[in-house]
Amino acid sequence: MTYSAKKIFSFIDITDEEDNQAYNIADSTPSAEDELITEQNLSQLLRYIKELKPHYQEVIQLRYFQEFSYQEIAEQLGEPLNNVKIKLLRAKKLLAEIIENKR
């Protein structure tokens, strides 16, 4: 083994402590419980959204569930871009109020 090869291998050697730290990193895969909580939260959020007026429900649906851009929403609804931005802002504010009142 040449000097440079030894240097490379010693560079990638890890200590036992580093190995233990890597081993102890939490698994980021959602557990069944995490998925259930997410599903319940989404279900609750959808119920709150249904309390909004239909035109607010529509912009929330297009923006956050179908991931349309503001411009795409404006084209879909046949409305000016600024109207869409204002409608989304109002929808989010009303939704926040609904959520706050349910707590």
Side-chain angles (χ1 to χ4, degrees):
M1 194 178 299
T2 65
Y3 171 73
S4 60
K6 287 180 186 176
K7 189 175 180 180
I8 290 171
F9 284 115
S10 66
F11 175 76
I12 61 169
D13 283 345
I14 59 170
T15 65
D16 289 339
E17 181 181 341
E18 291 168 328
D19 188 41
N20 285 336
Q21 287 175 346
Y23 181 77
N24 289 329
I25 293 175
D27 183 5
S28 63
T29 306
S31 67
E33 292 84 5
D34 292 335
E35 289 177 4
L36 180 61
I37 289 168
T38 300
E39 215 172 275
Q40 288 174 343
N41 288 341
L42 180 58
S43 176
Q44 184 66 48
L45 179 60
L46 291 172
R47 282 194 294 273
Y48 292 151
I49 290 171
K50 286 182 180 179
E51 293 184 33
L52 295 170
K53 291 182 179 179
H55 61 276
Y56 290 137
Q57 289 180 34
E58 185 176 29
V59 292
I60 292 284
Q61 172 70 24
L62 291 172
R63 180 68 178 153
Y64 298 105
F65 292 93
Q66 295 184 29
E67 298 181 350
F68 278 32
S69 69
Y70 291 108
Q71 186 61 47
E72 289 171 328
I73 296 169
E75 291 169 7
Q76 175 81 19
L77 300 179
E79 294 185 14
L81 183 60
N82 282 338
N83 287 11
V84 168
K85 290 179 180 180
I86 291 169
K87 197 178 280 188
L88 265 167
L89 185 64
R90 288 180 182 158
K92 290 190 293 185
K93 183 178 178 184
L94 290 168
L95 186 57
E97 289 173 7
I98 290 168
I99 292 168
E100 189 62 33
N101 289 333
K102 299 291 183 177
R103 289 185 176 177

